[in-house]
Amino acid sequence: HHYQIEHDGNGLTCSAEPITIKACLDANCSFLSTNSVSLDFQVTNPASATSTINSPTFIGSTSFNFNHTIVEALTLSVANATISATDPLVCDDGSGSSCDIDFF
């Protein structure tokens, strides 16, 4: 159905930020895929430069820590998934549905 990135919306330049990516089978992400998927976790900075940060292979979901040492807002995304989603990327920042994360 869709891929979902979970984060808390704010990061510290001196501490790793936990990120979770899920391969969801329904709109509520109640059920996760049982197929192996590989994709690129990407960030875009204010200058519109996109970088691949991690390229995990996982079943259902994966979690990792992301370090960023510059004070700025980034936009999180995924690309090059080996299994295409039928719906757009969903982001859950704990208080809404933003793919943006601010580093302080």
Side-chain angles (χ1 to χ4, degrees):
H1 190 269
H2 70 276
Y3 290 101
Q4 182 167 307
I5 298 174
E6 295 179 353
H7 62 97
D8 68 7
N10 295 302
L12 298 175
T13 59
C14 60
S15 181
E17 178 66 19
I19 302 289
T20 298
I21 301 174
K22 295 180 177 180
C24 304
L25 293 178
D26 63 336
N28 294 325
C29 205
S30 301
F31 301 97
L32 300 178
S33 175
T34 58
N35 295 319
S36 178
V37 63
S38 297
L39 52 74
D40 293 333
F41 170 69
Q42 298 183 325
V43 299
T44 303
N45 68 22
S48 297
T50 300
S51 301
T52 297
I53 303 302
N54 196 346
S55 297
T57 298
F58 60 96
I59 296 172
S61 70
T62 185
S63 296
F64 54 91
N65 290 320
F66 164 53
N67 292 306
H68 190 70
T69 59
I70 299 170
V71 175
E72 63 185 348
L74 300 174
T75 301
L76 310 178
S77 62
V78 296
N80 304 317
T82 55
I83 300 175
S84 298
T86 57
D87 289 284
L89 174 69
V90 171
C91 291
D92 181 357
D93 66 359
S95 63
S97 58
S98 179
C99 291
D100 295 337
I101 186 169
D102 294 315
F103 277 85
F104 300 98

